[in-house]
Amino acid sequence: MQRYIRTLLLITGFFLSMLSASGQQLYRLSGVLTDESEAAIAYADVVLLQAQDSAMVKYTAANDGHFSLEEVEPGNYLLQISSLGYERFVEAVELNGDSRLEIRLRENAQLLDEVTVTAARDAVVNKNGNLKVTVDNSVFAAQPTTMDVLSMIPTVLVSADRTSLNVIGKGAPLIYLGNQRISIDELNALPVESIKDIEIINNPSARYEADGQVVLLINRKLNFSDGIRLELSETASFKRRYNNYTTLNASLKKNKLELKTNFAYNQLQIWERFGSTLKVEDEDFSLDQLGTTVGPRPQFVLGGGIYYQLNSNDYISINANYRTHTTQAPIRSTANTQEGGQLSRIETDTDEFENRSFFSSNFNYNKKLESIGVNLFGGLQYSRYIRGLESDIFIREDAQDFELLQVRDQNFQIDAMAGRIDLEKRFGNGLKAEVGTNIYRATADAFLDFQFLDQDRKLRSDYRYQENNYAFYAQISAETKRMNYTLGLRTETNEVDGRFEGEDEPLIDRRRTNLFPRLSLNYTIDSTKTLSLNYANAIRRPNYLNASSITTFLAPSLEYSRNANLQPTITNEASLNFQYKNQSIRFSYFERQRPVNQSIVFDSENRQVVMSPENFDRETGFNISLTSPLNYKFWTITNFVMLSFSEIKDPRAEAIGAKPFIYFYTDHRFRLPQKINWGISCWGLSDQEIGVLKRKGYIVLNTTLSKTFGNKWTAAIAVNDLFRQLQVVETYRFNQVDTQSNFTPDNRNIAVSLRYAFGKISKSSYQNKDIDEQLDRMR
C-alpha cells in the first residue's frame, strides 16, 4: 500500500506540474445538422474561418448529421457549412468555452429535375497501421449477429463457441463501444443494424489497460432525434442443427433524458466434435479418442441503461447487462486404449447439465471543471459470473452394459468491484495531458464434489481466490504540422492469494508491480506518405476460470484440468509502419515471457493423461503485413496478407523447429442496383510450425446477399464457411507424450434474416463506459 501511495503522489505531482505549465486553453466546437423535417444531414463540409479576414482555421466533414472541431483557440469566428441540395449556412461564433450547436439547413429552392447523385465512401480505411471497416449499408450489415460481422473482418478470429476474440499476431483485443469499454456479453447484445464502423487499433495508448495490445473500437450510428425507436430482427440459422435468433432493441429520448433497453432470445443447438491421439514414450501406453457433443442451449440476453445530460459537458449514466444460458448436451466418446499389448475399447456417455450467468452494472459521472479546464470522469462497477456443472458419467467397456461410475458437481462464482478516475487537460500548441487511476478487487470460489462409485471414494475441495489490482497512468500527446506523438507510462500493482479451504499455507501468494511504457510517433513525409513508429509493453493475465481447480472429464484415461498456478504473460512489441495513400506495409517484432499453451502429463500411478494450460518459457517472432484496400466504381476490394514467424521454447517440450506461415484475407463487395449488396470473402492460414507445436492450415469462404426495401425492411442471406473447411488440428510433444488433437466446430452457417425498424431518435448523446478492466477474464 505504501508503494501504491507513493505512485499516486508521483502521478498527481506530474499532473499538477502540467497544470502549472498550462498555456492558452483550447476548446471544442461541435454540432448537429438537420433538415427542415429534422432528418439528419448525411454529409456536409464544415469550415471555421477567422472573423476578421475569413482565413481558414479548421476543416472537418459532418457525417450522419454530426461534426466536431477540436482544439480551437478562444476568439471570434465564422462557421460555414455547405451540403449538396441545401443553402450555404454562415454564422458568427464567439468561442470562449466548449460549444455545441443545433443547426437546421434549408433546402435549395433551385433544384433540377431527374438528378441523381451517387457517392461511394471507402469501405476500408487504412491509416498508420490501423484498419477501419464500414458496416453501415454494406454486406456486413446482413450478418445475423455482431460476432458474425467480426468473423468477416481482416485479422479478427472468432472462437468456435463465439465467446472470445483473437487478432492475428496480437492476441485478445480490448473491446470499446465509442469511448466506453464493453465486455463480450455486451458485444453479443449489440444489434448489427446500430453499428456504423469497426476499427482495429494496433497501437493503443497508455490510457488503455495494460493488457491492451490491440483495441477493437466499434462506432454506432448517431442519426437520432427526440422520440421512440424500436428495432426487431429475426434470424433463422441453419448449421448442422437449426438455430434461431430473436432480438428487440428500444430507445427513448426526451430532452436531456435517454433510456435504452435490449432483449434477445436465442434458441441454440450446439454441435462439437473433438478427438486426440496420445502415445506415452517408455510406458507402452497409447490412447485414441473421439467424441461429440450435441444438445440445446437456450440463451437470454437482457440489458438497459439510463443517461441524463446535466449540461453541455456533464452527464451521469447507469447501465446494466444480464446474460444467461443453460446447456443440456451429453458428451459421447469412444476411446481405444492399448497398454502392455492389450487393447481395450471404452465408450463413455456423460450426461451434463450446465448453467452460466453473467451480470454487470456500472455508474458513470463526467464533469468539466471549467475553472482549470480539466475534464473529470469517475465511475464504479460491480460484476458477477456464475457457472455450475453437473455430470453423470456412464462407462461401457468392451461392449458390456453402461454403468454409472462417477457423479460430479462443480460450481464456480466470482464477484468483482472496480473504480476509476480519469483527468484530462488540453493546452496550447496541440498538447494534451491525461492521468488516471483504477482500483480493482475480485473474489472467487471454485467448489467441486466428485463421487467415484466404482472405487467407493469421494473427492471434495473448495478453492478460494482473491485478487487486488492498483493501476495508474500518465500520458502526454502533442501534434505539430508534420509530426504527432503520444508518450505514456502505466504502473500496476497486482496482489493474488489462492488457497484450498482447510489449508494453512496458500497455494498462491504473489505481489508484483510492473511498469508498462507506451510510445507512438507518426511523421508525415508528404501528403501521401506517413511513417509510424510504435513501442508497447503489455500484460495478459489468465482468465479466472483457468486460475481455479475446475476439471472436465473426457475419457477414463483422459482429463482436462484448469491450472491455478498460471501466471501472466508479458509482451514487448516494437513496430514500424510505412503508408502510401491507403496502402501500407508494417513490420513488428515481439517477445513474450511465460506464454500460455496446452500441456500434457501422464500420471503413471493412475494410468491417466491430464491436459491443462501451462506457462511455457518464452516466445519470440515477427510479423510483416501488407494492407491494400481498393475501390473501382461499384466494386470494393480489401486485401490483407501477413507473413509471420513465431517460435515457442520450453525445456519440457521437444523442439520441432519454426517456419514462417501466412495469413491472408481478401474481400470483394458489389453495390448493385435496387439497393442490393453482394459480397464474397476468403481468408485462411497456412500450416504453422512455431517451435514446439504444429497447426494444420485451413481456408474459409463466406458470401452474403442483402436487399433493403424502403427504409424499414432489410432481408439478407449469408453463408459462412461454405465448404466446411475450418478444423483445428495440433501436434506436439510435451513431457515425453506425443499428442495430436483435433477440434471441429459447427462453423458452416446458412443464415436468413429479416429486420424491421420504425420510429426515430436523433441527436443521441448517450454515453456509458465499463469501469472494470478485467471483465473478459470472467469466463
Side-chain angles (χ1 to χ4, degrees):
M1 183 59 70
Q2 290 180 348
R3 185 179 297 178
Y4 171 88
I5 295 173
R6 287 198 301 270
T7 306
L8 179 59
L9 292 174
L10 177 64
I11 293 180
T12 304
F14 164 80
F15 187 68
L16 292 175
S17 67
M18 293 302 301
L19 290 179
S20 65
S22 62
Q24 189 175 30
Q25 179 66 49
L26 300 180
Y27 300 111
R28 175 190 300 158
L29 177 61
S30 60
V32 179
L33 307 179
T34 60
D35 61 17
E36 293 175 301
S37 64
E38 295 191 357
I41 303 296
Y43 181 87
D45 294 305
V46 182
V47 183
L48 191 66
L49 308 172
Q50 290 285 1
Q52 62 270 28
D53 57 7
S54 296
M56 189 176 77
V57 178
K58 281 186 176 292
Y59 164 83
T60 189
N63 288 289
D64 294 331
H66 287 254
F67 72 89
S68 179
L69 295 162
E70 306 287 340
E71 300 182 356
V72 182
E73 295 181 356
N76 295 315
Y77 300 96
L78 292 176
L79 180 65
Q80 177 180 294
I81 300 174
S82 304
S83 182
L84 185 66
Y86 297 91
E87 294 181 0
R88 176 175 293 183
F89 175 90
V90 180
E91 182 177 282
V93 176
E94 181 181 359
L95 196 64
N96 51 25
D98 288 345
S99 179
R100 180 179 173 85
L101 306 176
E102 296 184 3
I103 300 170
R104 183 170 298 177
L105 301 184
R106 297 175 57 187
E107 292 186 6
N108 193 330
Q110 298 179 351
L111 296 178
L112 300 177
D113 294 333
E114 302 288 334
V115 174
T116 301
V117 178
T118 302
R121 55 185 169 180
D122 290 341
V124 176
V125 176
N126 174 36
K127 185 176 181 181
N128 300 331
N130 301 323
L131 284 175
K132 178 181 284 188
V133 179
T134 299
V135 176
D136 186 25
N137 293 323
S138 73
V139 292
F140 293 117
Q143 294 297 313
T145 68
T146 304
M147 280 296 193
D148 289 301
V149 174
L150 292 171
S151 69
M152 299 178 66
I153 291 179
T155 73
V156 178
L157 300 182
V158 178
S159 68
D161 59 2
R162 301 300 172 105
T163 62
S164 64
L165 299 172
N166 191 69
V167 175
I168 290 289
K170 287 285 190 175
L174 303 180
I175 306 168
Y176 272 76
L177 182 62
N179 64 346
Q180 316 151 31
R181 182 168 183 189
I182 62 174
S183 67
I184 284 285
D185 297 271
E186 292 167 301
L187 178 66
N188 277 315
L190 184 66
V192 174
E193 55 268 27
S194 71
I195 299 175
K196 178 183 177 182
D197 53 52
I198 298 175
E199 186 172 1
I200 303 171
I201 303 176
N202 286 301
N203 312 303
S205 66
R207 183 169 189 172
Y208 292 103
E209 296 75 11
D211 60 347
Q213 197 178 352
V214 59
V215 169
L216 200 67
L217 177 61
I218 299 172
N219 296 307
R220 284 195 291 197
K221 293 182 289 187
L222 295 175
N223 58 339
F224 302 138
S225 69
D226 281 5
I228 298 175
R229 180 176 176 84
L230 296 177
E231 297 171 336
L232 299 169
S233 69
E234 173 72 18
T235 300
S237 175
F238 301 91
K239 296 186 176 183
R240 293 181 186 265
R241 294 197 168 196
Y242 175 73
N243 293 259
N244 192 82
Y245 304 83
T246 303
T247 304
L248 167 66
N249 295 275
S251 302
L252 180 148
K253 184 178 187 295
K254 183 65 175 177
N255 299 323
K256 296 182 178 182
L257 178 67
E258 291 187 51
L259 304 176
K260 293 181 181 292
T261 186
N262 60 270
F263 172 79
Y265 172 67
N266 303 323
Q267 185 57 53
L268 309 180
Q269 295 284 341
I270 65 170
W271 182 96
E272 295 174 352
R273 177 172 291 166
F274 56 91
S276 55
T277 301
L278 310 166
K279 185 175 182 180
V280 183
E281 185 179 327
D282 301 330
E283 290 284 348
D284 192 21
F285 179 91
S286 64
L287 172 67
D288 188 0
Q289 183 239 8
L290 180 66
T292 305
T293 303
V294 181
R297 177 180 287 170
Q299 182 182 82
F300 292 90
V301 180
L302 180 65
I306 302 173
Y307 171 87
Y308 187 77
Q309 187 84 36
L310 300 172
N311 52 49
S312 59
N313 298 306
D314 306 340
Y315 69 86
I316 59 173
S317 65
I318 300 172
N319 204 68
N321 290 279
Y322 178 72
R323 179 185 178 124
T324 183
H325 74 242
T326 57
T327 306
Q328 196 163 4
I331 303 174
R332 294 183 171 88
S333 66
T334 301
N336 295 314
T337 304
Q338 185 167 348
E339 186 172 8
Q342 183 176 357
L343 179 65
S344 298
R345 178 183 174 88
I346 301 176
E347 297 175 74
T348 304
D349 192 342
T350 304
D351 289 338
E352 287 199 341
F353 179 82
E354 181 193 53
N355 64 283
R356 299 191 195 187
S357 63
F358 172 81
F359 171 79
S360 185
S361 63
N362 64 54
F363 170 78
N364 289 189
Y365 174 66
N366 196 83
K367 173 70 177 176
K368 183 68 176 289
L369 306 176
E370 299 286 357
S371 59
I372 57 176
V374 172
N375 192 78
L376 166 68
F377 173 85
L380 297 170
Q381 183 158 0
Y382 168 76
S383 303
R384 167 175 282 192
Y385 175 75
I386 299 175
R387 179 180 180 182
L389 177 63
E390 299 176 4
S391 306
D392 292 337
I393 302 171
F394 296 83
I395 295 177
R396 178 168 67 181
E397 187 170 358
D398 297 329
Q400 301 297 316
D401 292 335
F402 275 105
E403 184 179 358
L404 177 61
L405 296 185
Q406 294 185 31
V407 176
R408 299 188 175 194
D409 183 12
Q410 302 181 81
N411 291 281
F412 177 75
Q413 176 177 316
I414 180 166
D415 295 271
M417 287 288 297
R420 73 178 295 157
I421 296 175
D422 294 320
L423 298 171
E424 176 185 320
K425 181 172 175 61
R426 296 176 182 269
F427 304 91
N429 302 320
L431 182 66
K432 181 173 70 173
E434 301 167 86
V435 296
T437 179
N438 305 75
I439 301 176
Y440 175 81
R441 178 184 177 88
T443 57
D445 187 4
F447 171 81
L448 62 85
D449 185 1
F450 291 177
Q451 299 182 48
F452 301 91
L453 304 180
D454 57 332
Q455 304 174 22
D456 194 22
R457 180 172 64 91
K458 293 184 178 181
L459 174 64
R460 185 186 183 97
S461 72
D462 193 353
Y463 180 72
R464 306 291 176 86
Y465 179 90
Q466 180 174 308
E467 180 175 338
N468 300 319
N469 197 73
Y470 312 101
F472 310 92
Y473 75 89
Q475 179 172 285
I476 300 175
S477 57
E479 183 175 351
T480 64
K481 185 177 181 179
R482 281 188 172 270
M483 184 174 66
N484 63 74
Y485 69 86
T486 300
L487 178 64
L489 178 66
R490 187 179 183 92
T491 176
E492 291 193 359
T493 298
N494 187 255
E495 302 172 345
V496 178
D497 181 274
R499 64 185 67 209
F500 287 97
E501 185 180 47
E503 296 289 339
D504 295 331
E505 295 296 325
L507 180 65
I508 303 173
D509 185 6
R510 189 165 60 231
R511 177 187 174 92
R512 291 176 180 168
T513 298
N514 296 98
L515 298 177
F516 303 99
R518 299 282 177 95
L519 169 65
S520 179
L521 176 65
N522 299 314
Y523 178 73
T524 302
I525 301 172
D526 57 34
S527 60
T528 61
K529 294 185 283 292
T530 304
L531 191 65
S532 303
L533 175 66
N534 298 277
Y535 170 77
N537 182 270
I539 190 170
R540 189 67 183 176
R541 296 187 171 92
N543 291 347
Y544 293 112
L545 189 60
N546 275 332
S548 73
S549 57
I550 297 293
T551 65
T552 302
F553 179 90
L554 300 176
S557 301
L558 183 61
E559 190 95 12
Y560 181 84
S561 175
R562 307 291 176 171
N563 184 357
N565 286 304
L566 274 184
Q567 297 189 50
T569 299
I570 294 180
T571 301
N572 285 283
E573 182 183 36
S575 65
L576 183 66
N577 186 87
F578 175 73
Q579 180 156 341
Y580 175 69
K581 295 183 178 179
N582 205 21
Q583 325 291 311
S584 72
I585 184 169
R586 184 175 187 269
F587 175 82
S588 64
Y589 174 80
F590 64 88
E591 294 181 349
R592 293 193 179 101
Q593 303 174 25
R594 302 186 299 271
V596 176
N597 283 280
Q598 198 79 277
S599 75
I600 193 162
V601 176
F602 180 69
D603 183 351
S604 58
E605 182 178 348
N606 295 312
R607 315 305 291 175
Q608 186 180 57
V609 177
V610 180
M611 305 175 70
S612 64
E614 188 79 30
N615 288 110
F616 282 40
D617 186 25
R618 64 188 177 93
E619 180 182 5
T620 57
F622 64 83
N623 300 305
I624 303 174
S625 60
L626 177 65
T627 306
S628 179
L630 302 169
N631 284 286
Y632 178 74
K633 295 183 179 180
F634 61 91
W635 185 11
T636 300
I637 308 168
T638 304
N639 294 316
F640 180 91
V641 62
M642 176 185 287
L643 175 68
S644 295
F645 177 86
S646 177
E647 185 174 17
I648 302 173
K649 294 184 178 180
D650 191 279
R652 298 162 296 177
E654 179 178 307
I656 57 176
K659 295 181 180 178
F661 60 92
I662 293 176
Y663 165 85
F664 74 91
Y665 171 95
T666 182
D667 177 71
H668 301 257
R669 291 188 286 163
F670 304 89
R671 295 180 299 275
L672 304 177
Q674 305 299 320
K675 294 184 179 181
I676 297 175
N677 286 287
W678 176 53
I680 183 167
S681 65
C682 182
W683 65 273
L685 278 162
S686 66
D687 292 345
Q688 304 167 58
E689 294 184 14
I690 52 178
V692 299
L693 63 88
K694 296 180 181 180
R695 292 193 181 106
K696 185 179 178 181
Y698 49 82
I699 297 176
V700 176
L701 183 66
N702 308 314
T703 186
T704 304
L705 182 69
S706 68
K707 177 174 172 53
T708 301
F709 302 89
N711 296 318
K712 295 183 178 181
W713 291 92
T714 301
I717 181 169
V719 182
N720 297 334
D721 195 4
L722 184 61
F723 299 111
R724 198 172 275 165
Q725 293 295 302
L726 183 56
Q727 184 179 31
V728 181
V729 180
E730 292 186 345
T731 304
Y732 57 94
R733 180 182 176 88
F734 192 87
N735 286 326
Q736 307 302 311
V737 181
D738 292 310
T739 304
Q740 182 182 80
S741 63
N742 62 80
F743 178 77
T744 305
D746 193 8
N747 198 57
R748 190 176 74 174
N749 177 28
I750 302 173
V752 180
S753 63
L754 186 65
R755 295 190 178 92
Y756 177 69
F758 58 92
K760 184 175 70 173
I761 297 184
S762 139
K763 306 172 191 171
S764 176
S765 303
Y766 193 97
Q767 297 183 63
N768 183 270
K769 67 172 74 174
D770 275 326
I771 308 305
D772 188 348
E773 300 179 347
Q774 313 291 332
L775 279 180
D776 290 340
R777 297 172 63 198
M778 286 189 172
R779 56 192 70 254

